[in-house]
Amino acid sequence: MPQLTDHDAQDPAHDREIETLAEFDEAVARGSLGGSRVQAVDLTARTPDLLAVDTAGAVFLGCPMHPDGLAKVRADGALVFPPVPDLPFDPYRGLLYTPGALFEHLDAGYDATPDALAYAWFQRTKADGDIFASMLRSIHDDAVSDALDEHLAGARVVGVMGGHAMARGTSAYAGAARLGRTLARSGLTVATGGGPGAMEAANFGAYMAPFQDDAALDEALELLAKVPSFTPSITDWARAAFDVRDRWPAGGDSIGLPTWFYGHEPPNAFAGHIAKYFANATREDGLLARCNGGVVFLPGAAGTVQEIFDNATPNYYESRGEPTPMVLVNRAHWTQKLPTWHLLQSLAKGRPMESRIALVDTVEEAPAALARLSTK
């Protein structure tokens, strides 16, 4: 088998990862699976292909196979990581989650969904000291990060951070939604922490971006306002979101990065693709690291303050290269209630990041500020 060079490994055209049956069939048609990494693809119906094709050097990650196919690929020298039984999630998944996948079986109540079952598993295992459980969480999170990088390849990503307590039906929620819509319409990929509140509002705005009639956004906001919060009922809160998605199908895409570490906060149903993690530290750093177009910080509390300085640190040291824009929204919030802006200014003084930070009064000013900082 030809050896892959470092150049080949970085070449998207030489991608060895197979994440769907269609990709598997294409590889078989080319005559070899040698060196491929097959992730979480059900191959029980592809036994004849496995028996006929070369699989030397391949790695099969969580792929169900008929015993005949399994014996053959092992005889070829392929490495097989078998599916793990009785898990509410797939640690080897090759693709990001979708709202439909995480909220499957919502008709039976949120507790029956894969999202809730994964959180319950995490609650049972997070402190039991079992290396197998911790290994499964790590493999899962690494697979999700890999899928996220593949999905965002070439995208200009702008983060929108803000508090989870922002309720539907408020002017703040509507403002965050219009921000997400404006950013998406300008060709940017909106990324949030993937939860409720300001995060949902920004993902919701990006979802509504293709619908040019402003009345559609206003009507959707009214429908959502009937269930202002995920408390007391996550089920009702999520159903309201899916009702909006049914009313306006084929909405715009955006990214959400929620975590089961804060599993009491459900993911929102408006992010088209969801990278959900067990490890919150991996999720936080990964979200900010991928916001190559900058971050808008809406009013929030401790979590948002943490995100501001998690983002400021690599901008200060330029550890990720040129500093990226940071726009803080609501002068009174960030200079009086939580006077973060003054410290951020002091950190930035005399450094390249000084020209990449801004404080604005209203959410409507944020897109222009972001664009201005991006040209400096």
Side-chain angles (χ1 to χ4, degrees):
M1 182 184 71
Q3 295 297 308
L4 286 174
T5 67
D6 289 343
H7 174 75
D8 290 332
Q10 296 170 5
D11 182 1
H14 213 121
D15 185 3
R16 296 181 295 171
E17 294 180 10
I18 294 173
E19 294 147 346
T20 66
L21 271 177
E23 291 177 346
F24 176 85
D25 292 340
E26 289 173 5
V28 169
R30 291 194 298 268
S32 176
L33 290 170
S36 297
R37 282 78 172 101
V38 190
Q39 287 180 256
V41 180
D42 188 343
L43 300 176
T44 52
R46 294 295 191 274
T47 303
D49 294 319
L50 291 172
L51 294 177
V53 73
D54 172 37
T55 60
V59 179
F60 293 87
L61 301 166
C63 299
M65 285 183 256
H66 186 276
D68 292 344
L70 178 59
K72 189 268 183 183
V73 301
R74 282 179 167 161
D76 280 353
L79 187 60
V80 178
F81 291 76
V84 182
D86 303 321
L87 276 182
F89 63 93
D90 185 350
Y92 305 113
R93 62 178 305 110
L95 303 172
L96 296 177
Y97 292 101
T98 63
L102 286 175
F103 284 103
E104 189 179 9
H105 309 306
L106 183 64
D107 288 344
Y110 174 71
D111 288 345
T113 66
D115 186 65
L117 294 173
Y119 178 51
W121 177 89
F122 179 50
Q123 290 293 94
R124 291 194 305 271
T125 63
K126 67 180 181 181
D128 64 7
D130 183 358
I131 190 172
F132 184 55
S134 63
M135 181 189 74
L136 291 173
R137 293 195 296 269
S138 296
I139 292 172
H140 169 274
D141 286 2
D142 191 63
V144 167
S145 290
D146 180 71
L148 182 61
D149 284 336
E150 292 174 357
H151 182 78
L152 292 178
R156 188 71 170 166
V157 182
V158 170
V160 178
M161 312 296 160
H164 68 271
M166 183 185 289
R168 296 168 174 173
T170 63
S171 59
Y173 186 98
R178 291 188 172 89
L179 171 65
R181 184 177 66 171
T182 298
L183 295 173
R185 284 180 174 176
S186 67
L188 298 166
T189 296
V190 174
T192 78
M199 297 171 279
E200 181 190 56
N203 287 131
F204 163 67
Y207 181 86
M208 297 299 293
F211 305 103
Q212 297 300 316
D213 185 359
D214 282 351
L217 181 67
D218 293 338
E219 184 180 348
L221 285 168
E222 289 182 9
L223 291 174
L224 290 174
K226 295 177 181 178
V227 187
S229 173
F230 64 95
T231 59
S233 172
I234 295 176
T235 302
D236 292 345
W237 176 83
R239 282 175 176 164
F242 280 104
D243 286 345
V244 167
R245 290 178 61 99
D246 289 343
R247 172 71 177 78
W248 291 276
D253 191 23
S254 65
I255 301 294
L257 280 75
T259 173
W260 282 294
F261 183 81
Y262 296 130
H264 60 286
E265 295 180 9
N268 76 72
F270 291 111
H273 290 84
I274 301 172
K276 189 150 191 180
Y277 290 89
F278 288 105
N280 186 52
T282 304
R283 167 251 192 170
E284 288 277 8
D285 184 69
L287 170 56
L288 293 167
R290 290 170 175 85
C291 292
N292 53 14
V295 183
V296 177
F297 297 92
L298 302 176
T304 310
V305 171
Q306 176 183 338
E307 289 162 344
I308 288 172
F309 291 105
D310 280 347
N311 197 49
T313 300
N315 280 347
Y316 179 90
Y317 289 112
E318 299 183 64
S319 55
R320 294 179 185 143
E322 186 176 316
T324 52
M326 299 176 64
V327 179
L328 278 61
V329 176
N330 191 315
R331 189 176 303 272
H333 186 86
W334 295 121
T335 62
Q336 299 173 29
K337 184 176 182 180
L338 295 174
T340 303
W341 173 248
H342 303 303
L343 179 53
L344 184 62
Q345 272 189 311
S346 297
L347 277 174
K349 188 173 182 180
R351 304 185 74 89
M353 69 177 286
E354 186 173 19
S355 64
R356 296 298 180 94
I357 64 172
L359 174 66
V360 298
D361 290 310
T362 67
V363 70
E364 289 78 17
E365 298 172 84
L370 188 70
R372 183 177 70 253
L373 298 181
S374 298
T375 62
K376 291 186 177 181

